[in-house]
Amino acid sequence: MRVRIDRHGLLVQARTVITWDWVHVQQLVTYAPFTLFPTAVPRGVFEQALAVQTQYNLLVDKISQDSEFLEEALASTAESDDFTGRLFSIYRQTIKEGRSQSVVLGLNRSDYMLDQQEGLPTALRQIEINTIAASFGGLASHTPDLHRHVLKVAGLSDLSHRILDNNPAAGLARGLAKAWELYGVERAVVMFLVEDVQRNIMDHRCVENELWSRDIPTIRRKFEDVSLGPDKRLFVDGQEVAVVYFRNGYMPQNYPTEQSWETRLLMERSRAIKCPDIATHLAGTKKVQQVLARPGVLERFFPEQPQVVQQIRATFAGLYTLDQGQEGDKTVAMAMANPEQFVLKPQREGGGNNFYGSEICRVLEEARGSSKRTAYILMDKVRARASVNYLLRRGAPLQPSQCLSELGVFGVYVRQGTDMVMNECVGHLLRTKSSEHADGGVAAGVAVLDNPLLV
């Protein structure tokens, strides 16, 4: 196998091909898509996004510990959406049996867009928070040098200082390393739970390499590779697993068989530290995001902390329930009257799942008279201002495009019992796509990697 590594290490899209009756494995690799130039981002809203991340870490952790809240928030959605229902069934079973591990590890990414409506100040608006398989922390650690080099070649070196150093891979690895240390078995491994065909493997490798540099053994396995040993210890090929790091398991197609679901339950029952555990996974659902925007809900988690409540609430977009009843009926009428003003969001991750414009009307019309609509939430469409850039993507022509960007902020926390051992903001990510695409991320083949150029 011959592979040429780009000088900036930006090799990401990889898949395995097996041919003929020999087991012949070939890795097909191409560069990660990226913008030619960094994109201007106002320094004020960028710093706002970084500053609120540790509060979002605490919020996610508090939600994961509040079973009454999760029951209230997700009951209707779990009934109407099979995927959420299966996850929620595992959650209920683990609550009934009791937790086997007191250490909780969260590696999150909160995503935002800038609302830039005419005559109004630029506002930071949260799109979602990813509590499972939050990607591109590895590759984002390499893009600053890439764009500084481009600016130098373009004769714009005086702008390079506006691109901040960024190393989320090291921060994510610190969280994994702390959890591994608290597990307390030196020979135990960190297991990356991965898909059969992994197109984003180089992003994983950046974090893996950080762990290996700390002498922490790391392996990559799939759902069917794990087993439960004595005392609820998790094993793979005779190796004890200290931490299960989910880079898989966030979409229905990640569970092709009943065995996949049984393995997820087995891992939740085990003593291994899960990243995320099932409660933290559910805390990142779109429905929980919508419920948090209701008046008084944030105060439940931050009583007598009005500044924290305001700091988080300032990032919310308009979010509306589609539950059965008068309030949900009002949301449907609002969306049908002005569909271009909203985004209809199912309980899905991975990009390319949302509905816009006339598609919103179609989905809601099909769900009329049934509970199917409760599988979705409605969100105000963020009015971002397009900028011109070049999107470098394999097989695509190089031409100027009107582009929209999304800022992600990585957070890491580790809790042992009631003691918050670690709570940090560890870096950022900027992804940019052509404005002709309504939805879709890098993994979906729409967006590309970028860097904020602070202005």
Side-chain angles (χ1 to χ4, degrees):
M1 179 180 66
R2 297 175 60 194
V3 176
R4 184 171 64 86
I5 304 296
D6 177 86
R7 69 183 293 269
H8 296 288
L10 292 175
L11 291 177
V12 55
Q13 311 287 351
R15 59 190 175 95
T16 301
V17 178
I18 300 177
T19 60
W20 204 34
D21 56 348
W22 296 85
V23 181
H24 175 68
V25 180
Q26 180 184 9
Q27 292 290 335
L28 305 181
V29 186
T30 184
Y31 65 89
F34 61 96
T35 58
L36 182 58
F37 296 102
T39 294
V41 173
R43 183 181 292 271
V45 290
F46 176 81
E47 292 177 347
Q48 179 189 1
L50 266 59
V52 74
Q53 184 58 43
T54 54
Q55 304 298 355
Y56 267 116
N57 292 345
L58 292 175
L59 177 59
V60 169
D61 186 51
K62 289 172 183 288
I63 292 169
S64 74
Q65 297 176 72
D66 193 333
S67 58
E68 182 182 354
F69 173 80
L70 285 173
E71 283 281 352
E72 292 173 357
L74 290 172
S76 61
T77 305
E79 288 182 7
S80 59
D81 181 74
D82 182 62
F83 182 59
T84 305
R86 294 298 298 265
L87 294 173
F88 206 65
S89 176
I90 292 173
Y91 169 71
R92 282 172 169 157
Q93 193 157 346
T94 58
I95 290 296
K96 182 179 179 180
E97 295 176 4
R99 299 176 186 268
S100 300
Q101 177 56 254
S102 64
V103 177
V104 174
L105 167 63
L107 304 183
N108 304 323
R109 194 189 71 224
S110 188
D111 292 335
Y112 305 91
M113 291 184 71
L114 304 186
D115 199 49
Q116 298 169 302
Q117 299 185 50
E118 194 69 34
L120 296 174
T122 298
L124 188 71
R125 292 290 176 258
Q126 188 188 56
I127 303 302
E128 63 181 351
I129 188 162
N130 301 273
T131 61
I132 181 169
S135 59
F136 296 111
L139 294 179
S141 302
H142 293 274
T143 54
D145 284 344
L146 170 73
H147 278 127
R148 287 171 184 149
H149 175 71
V150 170
L151 291 178
K152 183 185 294 184
V153 172
L156 299 170
S157 296
D158 57 320
L159 297 178
S160 293
H161 70 283
R162 296 180 180 272
I163 300 175
L164 299 187
D165 290 338
N166 188 36
N167 195 359
L172 297 173
R174 280 200 306 276
L176 289 161
K178 175 55 71 173
W180 175 84
E181 174 190 324
L182 292 173
Y183 188 79
V185 178
E186 188 173 355
R187 288 184 295 179
V189 301
V190 173
M191 181 180 75
F192 283 55
L193 190 75
V194 298
E195 301 173 63
D196 290 338
V197 178
Q198 185 57 64
R199 299 180 65 245
N200 198 20
I201 189 171
M202 297 299 177
D203 185 53
H204 300 192
R205 293 297 191 194
C206 295
V207 181
E208 285 182 53
N209 291 342
E210 290 281 349
L211 291 171
W212 280 112
S213 71
R214 297 167 179 263
D215 296 322
I216 297 175
T218 303
I219 62 174
R220 301 171 60 81
R221 292 293 187 274
K222 296 175 289 185
F223 271 108
E224 58 265 29
D225 295 329
V226 303
S227 62
L228 201 61
D231 303 322
K232 294 189 175 181
R233 296 178 187 272
L234 194 68
F235 287 89
V236 173
D237 300 331
Q239 296 175 291
E240 185 172 352
V241 177
V243 180
V244 179
Y245 178 26
F246 283 85
R247 296 300 299 251
N248 187 13
Y250 54 91
M251 296 187 292
Q253 53 266 41
N254 298 148
Y255 301 85
T257 65
E258 280 302 309
Q259 183 185 349
S260 304
W261 285 108
E262 290 169 6
T263 303
R264 179 68 189 267
L265 176 59
L266 178 148
M267 288 188 287
E268 292 297 329
R269 284 171 162 166
S270 78
R271 288 183 56 186
I273 299 165
K274 279 72 66 175
C275 181
D277 62 20
I278 191 68
T280 306
H281 186 171
L282 290 169
T285 56
K286 306 297 188 295
K287 182 59 182 178
V288 167
Q289 181 188 10
Q290 178 261 306
V291 172
L292 288 172
R294 288 181 176 275
V297 175
L298 281 179
E299 286 82 354
R300 172 182 183 134
F301 299 104
F302 296 99
E304 300 180 9
Q305 293 181 272
Q307 290 182 326
V308 173
V309 168
Q310 176 55 32
Q311 188 181 12
I312 295 173
R313 188 168 283 149
T315 67
F316 286 173
L319 293 155
Y320 311 95
T321 183
L322 284 163
D323 284 351
Q324 298 287 79
Q326 186 175 3
E327 189 178 3
D329 292 344
K330 183 179 178 181
T331 299
V332 170
M334 183 173 66
M336 298 288 277
N338 294 288
E340 299 300 331
Q341 301 294 319
F342 303 101
V343 181
L344 187 66
K345 307 180 81 170
Q347 312 303 309
R348 295 292 180 270
E349 306 295 338
N353 299 300
N354 297 334
F355 297 93
Y356 301 82
S358 60
E359 284 291 288
I360 295 177
C361 298
R362 178 186 63 79
V363 173
L364 293 178
E365 189 63 41
E366 290 175 356
R368 186 184 295 273
S370 75
S371 62
K372 290 181 180 179
R373 76 186 195 193
T374 61
Y376 302 86
I377 66 164
L378 193 72
M379 187 180 87
D380 284 342
K381 189 174 182 180
V382 177
R383 300 295 174 180
R385 193 174 300 147
S387 61
V388 177
N389 211 327
Y390 293 81
L391 308 181
L392 280 72
R393 188 188 296 111
R394 177 174 174 263
L398 183 62
Q399 59 189 23
S401 300
Q402 292 289 323
C403 299
L404 299 173
S405 298
E406 189 169 314
L407 174 67
V409 180
F410 293 95
V412 174
Y413 67 88
V414 180
R415 175 172 52 81
Q416 185 176 33
T418 59
D419 183 18
M420 186 61 74
V421 178
M422 180 180 182
N423 182 17
E424 297 180 13
C425 170
V426 298
H428 59 271
L429 163 73
L430 195 70
R431 292 165 297 168
T432 294
K433 65 184 178 185
S434 170
S435 60
E436 67 183 1
H437 296 291
D439 194 21
V442 178
V446 174
V448 306
L449 300 174
D450 197 351
N451 266 301
L453 184 80
L454 300 184
V455 296

